[in-house]
Each structure stands twice: as C-alpha cells, then as structure tokens.
Amino acid sequence: MSRARWTLAVAIALTLLLAWFVLYPIAVVGAEAANGTAWHDFLTRPGEWAALWASLWISLASVVLAAAIGIPLAFLFEWFDFPGRKTLGALIALPVVLPPLVGVIAFLFLYGESGFVARAIQALFKLEQAPWRLQGPLAILLVHAYSMYVYFYLFTRAGLARLDVSMLEAAQALGADRRGTLWRVVVPLLRPSLAGAAILTFMTSLGSFSAPYIFGGGFRVMTTQIVATKLNGDLPLAMVETVVLASVAVVALLILRRTEGNDILVALGKGIAPRPRPIRRAGVRRLTTIAGWGLAVLLLLPHLTLGLVSLVPYGAWTTEILPPVINFDNYRRLFSEAERLRPLLNSLWMASASTAAAVLLALVAGWLVVRQRVALRRVIEGLLVLPWALPGTVFAIALAIAFSTNAPLQLRFVLVGTAVILPLAYLVRALPLTGRGLLAAYRQLDPSLEEAAASLGAGRWRTLARVTLPQLRPGLAAGASLAFVAALGDIVASIVLYTYETRPISIEILSSLRLAETGVAAAFGVVLMIVSAVVLGVGARR
Amino acid sequence: MDALVGPARAGNRTSALSGFLEIRGIEKRWSPDVAVGPITLDIARGEILALLGPSGSGKTTMLRLLAGFEAADEGRIGVGGEDVTAVPPARRRFGMVFQHYALFPHLDVGENVAFGLHGGGGAGVEQKVSQALALVDLTGFERRKVHELSGGQQQRVALARALAPEPRVLLLDEPLSNLDPTLRERTRRELRHVIKRIGITTVFVTHEQDEAFDLGDRIAVLNGGRLEQVGVADELYERPVNLFVATFVGRANVFRGRAARDLGGEPTPDGQVLVVRPERLQFGASGLPGVVRELRYTGPATFFLVEGEDGERFEVLAQPDAARIDERVHVAATRVIVLPEPGPRR
C-alpha cells in the first residue's frame, strides 16, 4: 500500500511541476489579458488584423507549396529506381533536421539581395543595383516551402512504404487502371500520412519566427508582431496577441485533427510494400536521374553557400561573383575572441541542461504513465505534449510575463534576467520531443523483461540501469538529440528572454548580421549546423 | 554441473507429503466479479505441479502471485517454512521462465545467464554460466546474440538463466507454447529430464492437457479462478470430481435421461449425469441404439460419431473397421462415471 501511495505522490509532484512551468504561465497571460484594456487596441488596429490574417494565409499557402514539392518527390523516390536513389533520398530530407535559423540565413546568403545568386546576376548584366530584394510574404513562403516540403516528403514516403502491394494488385485485378488505382486506392490510404504532414506544416508555419523575422521587412505575422510589441514595451497588447495566437493554434489543431481520419486504414495494410520500379526507357531514366540530382543540389545549395560565406573574411567580398579571399579567419575569431566564444558556450550549456532535465522528466513520466498507469496519466501526457501544440512565441511571452514578478504566494518568481530562464524556456519546448520518444519506447518495452530482472534478484535500481535504460536508449537518444538541437537553434525564446550574459548563438548570429559581419554569422551558422548534425547522428545510432 | 545438481537441491523425496511450497487461501480480486482464489495447495519438494485451465481461468495470475509480480489480497505463500507473501520478487529467489522468454536483447547469452549471479567475481560467475548452459545442452553459446538463436534455443537459454542463481522454486509460464508442435514434444521430455535431475520444485502453467500430463507430477485444474481438482493424471482422467474436470481433461461423452439409463442399466438419480470416455464405449448386440454419422480416422483407432434416437451425439473410439457410416448400431459402456449436474456457479 505504501508503495502505491509513494507512486501517487511522485505522480502528483510531477503533474504539479509540469503544470507550474508549462500551463501556469499561459494561464497567467490569459488571466491578465482578460483583465486588461488592450483588447480594444487589438480589435481596432488594422495592423493586428493584418498580422493575424497574414499568419493564417502564409500557413495555408505553406502547406500547399510544401505538399506540391514534397508529395511528387516522395512518389519519385519511393516508386522509381534510378542511380543514386538511396543517397539522394536521404540527402533531401536533411533540411528538416537543421535549426530553421540556419536554413534562413543560408537562404539569405544564397538568394538574398546581396546573396550569391543576386550578386552573380548583377555582375553578369552589370546592373547598378541588386536585381531583387528578397523580402515580404513571397520570401517567407519560399523559405517555408524550402524547409517544410520535407514533412510531406517523409510522411508520404512512410505512407507509401506501408502500402500493401497486394492491395494495388487487387485493384488492378478488379479492373482499375493505373490512374484509377492511384486515386481510388493509394490516395485514400495515404490520407492519414498526408493529413499528418499538413498538420505539422501548418503548425510549424504558424509558429515560424526566424523566416518572417529576417525576411518580413515591414510585413508582419503574429509571431513577429508579438515580439515587436513586447520589445516596444506594450505588454498588455503583447499578452492579448499571445492569447489570440494560442487560440488560433488550438482551434487549427482541433480542426486539422479531424482530417486525419481513421488510423485503421494504415493498420490494415500490413503486407509487403511495392518495390521501386526501375525506369525502363533510357531517355526518361536519364532525365529522372538528372532531375533528381539537380533537385538535390538545388535544395542543398543554401547550406553549401553558408559554408562558402563563412570562409570570407570581413569586408573582403564586395562586387565580385566569387569571393577573392578564402581563409579560416572567421572561425579563428569565433574561437579566440572571448566575447564570441561566449555565446557558443552559453548555447551549449543551456541546451545540455534543458535536455538533461527534459530527459529526466520524460523518464519519470514514462514510468508513471506506461508502467504504473497512474490515474493522472492522461494529464501528465497532455502536459508533456502541450508545448508542441502552441507556437514557441506563446511560451516565450508567457514565461517572460509569469516570471518577471516576485509573488511567491502565487508561485511566481523573478527568473527573467537570470541564467535560469532560457534553459527553462528550452525545457518547455524540449518536453514533447523527449516525452514522445520515451513514451513510445516505454510502450514497446516488454514488461516481462523488467519482471525477469526482478525474478533474477535485481532490485529496482539495478533493473533500471541494466535492463530498462538500455532498452529505452534508442528512443531516449532520438528524443534527446532532437531536444538538444531545438534548444541550440532556438531563436524566439532567446530574443524575448536573453540577457547579454546569457546570449545564445542565435542572438549572436542576428547581431553579426546587423553589423554586416556576414562571415562571422555564417561561421556561427556552420558551427550550429555541424554540432546539430553530429548530435542527431549520434542520437539516431542504434 | 554438480553445483546445480547438488544434494541441497536434490532434496529429501521421502518428505514429499509435507508441503515445501505452501499456498494458503491465496486470493486476488481484480474487480467485484473477477477474482482468483481462494486457493490452497501444497507442493512437495522436488515435485512438478501443472496449473491446467482454459484461458481466463486464473492460472497465469496464480503463477504471478507465486513469483511476487502480483500482490495477493488474501492468504499467504510459504516456502520451506518461510512466509514469502510480502517478499518482493527480487528477494524471493524464485526462478521464472516467461512465456516469450523475456531474454534481454541487449545482452548476449552469457550475460543473460549471468544476470542473476551476484558477487563471487569473474571466474566463479563464468563457471556457473557454463554449467547452466551445459545443463540445457548449449555449451559454448556464451557469446552468441540472443536474436540469432532459434525458438527452442531461446527457451533453453531462458531456462538456464532462471536456474543459474539456484532458485528455491522454478516457475514456467506456458513454457512450450512458442515452439512448433514437432519440437514441443521433444522439448517437453528434455525439460522434465533437466528439472528432475536438479530436483527443483516446479510450478508451470499450461492450457494443454497433453503437456500437463506429460510434464507434471500432479495437475491442478483451474476454472473461473477456482481450483477444481488436484491429482495425478489418471486420477483426473478416471475419477474427475465434477463435469468441468471430466470434459476439460480428455474427451468425454455426457449422457442424461433415457440414454443414461440405457447405458448405465439403471435410472440415473435426479441431478446426476453420466460421463463415459469414448474408449469406454463399444459396439455390441444390445445397449443404446444409434446411427453412425461420421468417422474420424486417427491411425490406431477411429472415432465414430454416433447419433442416438433422441438426437444426442456422442463419440465411440474403436477399431477402424468396427462400423460404417449410416450403420445402425448398439453401444454399451464398460465404465461409467456418475457426476452431479453442475448447478449455477456461486
């Protein structure tokens, strides 16, 4: 009995802790926004409505564009065989694992008005000015489409891989031609995958900050509008905007969830996936190969450009097509100047701390939810995944407001301005990643393994160390590496909550860009990219 | 190997009447309607007890109560005079072989077997591991990966792992259900051989009568959470205490009313039924009249499905040429069992 009571006590403690830093700050913002007078401001200013509308249509358009790129790519790589299929197929999924900020500045250096391409065209045609300015909604959409097609690509490929080839054969045996099979069998079966990708793309676009922040110019979406209002010091209005964005996100998620349909559709298809068909006609085959490779290069070009820019010393590259000087000056400065090394170290320790905490909480949650099946398990699971459903901006503002007042009786403390607040913000965002990874791994773990350990005389801690943790390791590593990379590349929480002492890489990249130190910014970007890739590579190892 | 077969384990068979493993009124209530027990059972040192029952009969719950994975709501469990009811599984020193073996996939065979061996240091552990593996005929398998093994080999590794720490009692959960039928019979013999050689007190769960008869010294029949009967195989088969045991253990024809009178020679008392095993029926000149409807040929003998005049159907096991389909026959019984008609369960 006392054991059960102890379990319950842990469950309650965990629930309260999660509620305190995940739910409570949002509740504070909601309550204060409801009491304030800023609703009038929000409702009467056209700029606010414009930002809300912009957020919605940009997100919808991002879904359409990402689908238009990702779905055909998935069919191409899953159903047709051509030289380099496997390597390319893996390569073009890369953008999804890199921090959005890296993608955005890479895009800037390639297609921006002083980017590689614009510069080349300017030099080629001897233009006075850059041929275009990469700004406004179109630029944002371009970046979104470029980074988010991967969701559709991966989800569709996974869906196609789960298809049962005998189902396609059955359709053909029943007289359906190839197109009929596609529309009447394949597409309906893919629906859950496509809906999943659409939800992910929509929610990511809605919460996207770095692309609108850097390419928006005067064009504002809700995320950038909120941060701008907050930085202008109009807290009441910022709170109202936050509540609006959070509500939109929740409503959108609820609506989109309904499109997902029945999972049974997928579960049924438990057969052999269709094998990729070699393309017979030599001409088509050559064309497909070229197109595939061309596409891959196109998609990876921004990151290559980032590498190139990082090698150009400050002020050395002016009007030439190719940089006249290339060396490691920027990297040398980055690692030798104390003030530049600092953000790197800041980011590393804050990401490590938040990841470690997120893993620990996920472990306790997994044990309580899956193994002990405590009464609070749905609440705990809900709190774990809630940060996934709401844009990062919402949490950034909520934490900034809830923890800038000292009111111990309301469980509010001044954390803003201390070294704790950014790791806490990263932790909130990390919870869904480690939580999902761990819960999934825990559910797959055969309980009789732990029982076997117990029957062999292993106590609770020995069982945890020797059996449970080794078995959970893949899920744990995957979740932890994603959480670490997300913390490392975070920008919106950082902008709202950083102090000079605790400034992370993303802030340093932005200030380098502002000072036109593109080389240093790019070098930071490359470091971020490499660390992320290494961490994710380690995390994905079995 | 001698360490495992040592005299402490071989035990004192003469004291077989006293319970080494004592189950006293053990009960587990899942909900007001679903409960297992109360069950009282004594298992002698070195004895192999089979828990036999259909799915949902509570046999697995019983095994998990013994292992300590479930906490009993009532009753107690004792082993060698020590009350272990509240002792957690880790300190109970009961070895368990799980239905799906539960081998640790991240450890190799040797590490799996060594898992329960504490202290003593490298050489001692290594020696015990190789002894345990030798016992199940897997000498030299220490460094093999678990998933590289066949189902039968995995089962033997699981047995070696459970035996290596020299447990007081061995528990087996459907030990053979994951093997294919041809392998099952052979493994059954080997399993019994190993257990008997060590002389360890063993409880195993099965839903197959053959397995229970073949592997168990005694069989406890469970149904709906209750213990129906405990006994050796022929006791259960020839002298079942109720209709459930009679029909669950072996094949049985149940007769009521006129058919029962024709077979038994005198009217069956009210509230009683007549049970006759198929091999205890034979075709003859007089007796219960009927028509042969179907034949099922099994090799040495044939099952004849006979329909009586009141529409009742029963099976007769006889020589393949004893009757033909549609033949009118008379059936007589050489041995009948009279059992009470089961009333509504409490």
Side-chain angles (χ1 to χ4, degrees):
Chain A
M1 273 300 111
S2 77
R3 172 107 197 263
R5 209 170 294 164
W6 189 77
T7 305
L8 187 67
V10 176
I12 292 173
L14 180 72
T15 310
L16 290 179
L17 180 68
L18 290 177
W20 175 66
F21 68 78
V22 173
L23 201 59
Y24 183 56
I26 295 176
V28 167
V29 167
E32 295 199 1
N35 292 331
T37 51
W39 281 100
H40 183 256
D41 290 348
F42 181 83
L43 294 172
T44 50
R45 285 190 198 168
E48 304 292 329
W49 287 103
L52 183 56
W53 171 237
S55 273
L56 285 176
W57 80 256
I58 289 268
S59 301
L60 282 175
S62 299
V63 172
V64 173
L65 279 178
I69 302 174
I71 297 174
L73 268 183
F75 273 93
L76 179 67
F77 278 93
E78 196 63 35
W79 275 11
F80 298 99
D81 203 5
F82 50 88
R85 183 181 80 98
K86 283 204 172 136
T87 321
L88 283 180
L91 269 181
I92 60 175
L94 262 184
V96 79
V97 300
L98 296 174
L101 181 64
V102 172
V104 169
I105 61 168
F107 218 74
L108 184 70
F109 292 147
L110 182 59
Y111 301 116
E113 58 188 277
S114 55
F116 201 54
V117 175
R119 209 189 282 256
I121 290 175
Q122 193 181 351
L124 219 62
F125 297 102
K126 306 214 166 15
L127 302 174
E128 287 284 304
Q129 281 185 331
W132 63 71
R133 287 169 60 81
L134 192 68
Q135 249 185 13
L138 275 182
I140 299 172
L141 271 182
L142 218 62
V143 178
H144 279 185
Y146 160 78
S147 51
M148 295 174 201
Y149 77 87
V150 185
Y151 296 143
F152 275 96
Y153 170 70
L154 289 178
F155 275 57
T156 311
R157 273 198 80 166
L160 286 174
R162 274 198 303 256
L163 278 186
D164 188 349
V165 71
S166 61
M167 241 183 283
L168 308 186
E169 287 165 355
Q172 277 161 12
L174 292 166
D177 59 6
R178 205 170 279 181
R179 187 185 296 180
T181 311
L182 185 68
W183 284 110
R184 291 175 55 199
V185 179
V186 177
V187 171
L189 284 174
L190 281 182
R191 201 178 85 160
S193 306
L194 297 180
I199 293 175
L200 198 54
T201 308
F202 188 90
M203 299 308 287
T204 311
S205 303
L206 197 64
S208 160
F209 179 80
S210 43
Y213 186 72
I214 289 179
F215 292 112
F219 178 81
R220 292 264 174 82
V221 295
M222 280 311 279
T223 51
T224 47
Q225 179 78 1
I226 290 172
V227 170
T229 313
K230 162 78 168 68
L231 297 182
N232 283 337
D234 190 351
L235 278 185
L237 183 59
M239 285 193 277
V240 170
E241 290 165 348
T242 304
V243 171
V244 170
L245 179 60
S247 315
V248 168
V250 169
V251 170
L253 192 60
L254 291 180
I255 295 174
L256 288 171
R257 268 281 163 89
R258 314 190 80 179
T259 63
E260 230 172 347
N262 218 329
D263 266 348
I264 293 167
L265 285 180
V266 184
L268 236 167
K270 213 179 180 184
I272 308 159
R275 254 194 305 192
R277 235 180 325 213
I279 300 170
R280 294 259 164 64
R281 255 178 293 176
V284 181
R285 190 181 151 92
R286 208 171 301 133
L287 214 66
T288 319
T289 313
I290 292 171
W293 280 97
L295 212 63
V297 169
L298 191 71
L299 292 170
L300 295 176
L301 206 52
H303 297 98
L304 298 177
T305 313
L306 192 68
L308 181 66
V309 174
S310 75
L311 296 174
V312 181
Y314 181 62
W317 194 6
T318 48
T319 56
E320 300 87 350
I321 296 182
L322 285 171
V325 199
I326 280 184
N327 58 35
F328 285 95
D329 207 29
N330 294 317
Y331 291 96
R332 197 182 46 71
R333 288 176 61 194
L334 207 132
F335 289 106
S336 63
E337 293 173 17
E339 279 310 293
R340 294 202 184 275
L341 190 57
R342 179 105 154 248
L344 199 64
L345 298 178
N346 276 342
S347 275
L348 286 177
W349 86 254
M350 292 193 293
S352 308
S354 59
T355 304
V359 164
L360 195 68
L361 289 173
L363 266 176
V364 178
W367 177 71
L368 287 170
V369 170
V370 181
R371 208 40 99 233
Q372 300 295 323
R373 301 188 57 77
V374 293
L376 284 165
R377 62 181 184 277
R378 294 202 179 281
V379 180
I380 293 175
E381 227 184 319
L383 285 171
L384 279 183
V385 298
L386 179 71
W388 180 83
L390 296 178
T393 316
V394 170
F395 283 99
I397 298 291
L399 290 171
I401 285 172
F403 297 121
S404 58
T405 312
N406 190 28
L409 287 181
Q410 295 173 35
L411 292 172
R412 289 172 69 178
F413 309 94
V414 178
L415 300 179
V416 174
T418 70
V420 180
I421 190 73
L422 268 185
L424 185 67
Y426 297 161
L427 168 61
V428 172
R429 302 297 288 168
L431 280 177
L433 301 169
T434 56
R436 283 185 158 194
L438 207 82
L439 284 180
Y442 231 126
R443 292 201 165 106
Q444 282 175 4
L445 179 64
D446 182 358
S448 58
L449 286 182
E450 289 167 315
E451 289 174 357
S455 78
L456 291 167
R460 202 180 301 168
W461 297 110
R462 195 168 120 84
T463 304
L464 182 72
R466 293 274 323 267
V467 177
T468 314
L469 283 182
Q471 286 301 304
L472 294 178
R473 204 184 58 91
L476 204 69
S481 58
L482 285 174
F484 186 85
V485 168
L488 211 58
D490 170 85
I491 173 161
V492 64
S494 307
I495 278 194
V496 174
L497 297 168
Y498 84 96
T499 63
Y500 185 72
E501 301 297 314
T502 63
R503 67 191 189 282
I505 296 181
S506 53
I507 299 299
E508 192 64 14
I509 289 179
L510 291 181
S511 57
S512 301
L513 280 180
R514 209 171 297 126
L515 298 172
E517 290 188 302
T518 50
V520 175
F524 269 118
V526 170
V527 170
L528 204 53
M529 195 157 79
I530 290 170
V531 175
S532 304
V534 168
V535 168
L536 289 168
V538 170
R541 227 175 34 187
R542 295 265 131 183
Chain B
M1 198 181 305
D2 282 338
L4 283 167
V5 193
R9 277 282 200 60
N12 183 356
R13 306 253 174 113
T14 52
S15 70
L17 283 177
S18 75
F20 173 68
L21 178 60
E22 299 172 326
I23 303 168
R24 289 276 173 273
I26 207 85
E27 191 169 359
K28 175 79 186 172
R29 286 184 291 268
W30 297 110
S31 69
D33 312 331
V34 184
V36 174
I39 287 174
T40 295
L41 201 56
D42 276 337
I43 298 142
R45 191 187 287 271
E47 186 183 25
I48 304 180
L49 181 89
L51 292 175
L52 175 67
S55 58
S57 61
K59 54 191 193 299
T60 295
T61 300
M62 195 56 230
L63 199 73
R64 293 175 60 81
L65 283 165
L66 287 176
F69 299 133
E70 307 290 351
D73 293 312
E74 295 289 342
R76 59 172 205 92
I77 296 165
V79 59
E82 181 198 343
D83 186 344
V84 296
T85 318
V87 175
R91 281 188 274 121
R92 208 170 267 210
R93 291 184 46 228
F94 281 25
M96 173 117 175
V97 174
F98 292 79
Q99 186 174 10
H100 301 279
Y101 316 136
L103 295 176
F104 305 126
H106 58 293
L107 303 179
D108 65 23
V109 169
E111 289 166 336
N112 262 286
V113 176
F115 193 93
L117 300 169
H118 298 277
V125 169
E126 240 169 71
Q127 199 191 347
K128 283 188 174 173
V129 169
S130 61
Q131 280 171 356
L133 284 176
L135 195 63
V136 295
D137 211 12
L138 285 176
T139 303
F141 273 62
E142 280 91 340
R143 298 283 81 87
R144 295 280 281 270
K145 295 263 175 272
V146 167
H147 55 84
E148 288 169 358
L149 304 180
S150 71
Q153 289 170 334
Q154 289 183 6
Q155 196 259 1
R156 278 140 69 194
V157 173
L159 181 64
R161 184 179 71 173
L163 290 175
E166 305 188 19
R168 298 185 281 194
V169 175
L170 179 65
L171 306 172
L172 307 159
D173 188 3
E174 305 255 2
L176 305 169
S177 65
N178 272 329
L179 303 177
D180 53 74
T182 48
L183 196 57
R184 214 176 285 173
E185 203 164 327
R186 210 185 72 209
T187 312
R188 204 146 73 196
R189 293 264 137 220
E190 289 169 359
L191 189 58
R192 184 172 165 87
H193 182 69
V194 169
I195 294 173
K196 280 296 167 192
R197 210 163 80 184
I198 299 174
I200 187 170
T201 311
T202 301
V203 178
F204 78 98
V205 152
T206 181
H207 61 264
E208 283 187 32
Q209 176 221 312
D210 281 358
E211 209 168 291
F213 278 20
D214 220 5
L215 197 50
D217 294 328
R218 275 195 307 158
I219 298 123
V221 180
L222 293 176
N223 182 38
R226 292 179 180 282
L227 183 60
E228 302 278 4
Q229 190 175 1
V230 192
V232 296
D234 63 335
E235 250 174 62
L236 294 181
Y237 192 77
E238 301 295 353
R239 292 191 297 281
V241 297
N242 59 32
L243 196 55
F244 173 79
V245 176
T247 50
F248 187 72
V249 178
R251 309 178 77 91
N253 299 305
V254 181
F255 298 97
R256 299 179 172 85
R258 191 164 68 133
R261 194 194 61 215
D262 284 357
L263 272 178
E266 58 190 50
T268 318
D270 267 356
Q272 306 267 297
V273 294
L274 210 61
V275 174
V276 188
R277 303 282 180 196
E279 70 276 13
R280 301 287 189 183
L281 287 174
Q282 59 188 34
F283 299 121
S286 64
L288 179 65
V291 179
V292 177
R293 292 296 182 203
E294 282 174 30
L295 297 184
R296 203 156 48 77
Y297 190 72
T298 63
T302 296
F303 282 102
F304 296 85
L305 185 72
V306 181
E307 189 175 321
E309 287 180 338
D310 292 343
E312 76 275 16
R313 288 175 160 239
F314 53 92
E315 281 179 331
V316 177
L317 187 67
Q319 295 292 316
D321 53 3
R324 292 181 316 276
I325 283 196
D326 289 338
E327 189 179 330
R328 297 196 61 83
V329 290
H330 286 85
V331 176
T334 56
R335 185 173 187 280
V336 298
I337 307 165
V338 180
L339 289 171
E341 184 89 65
R345 291 195 74 91
R346 274 179 293 153

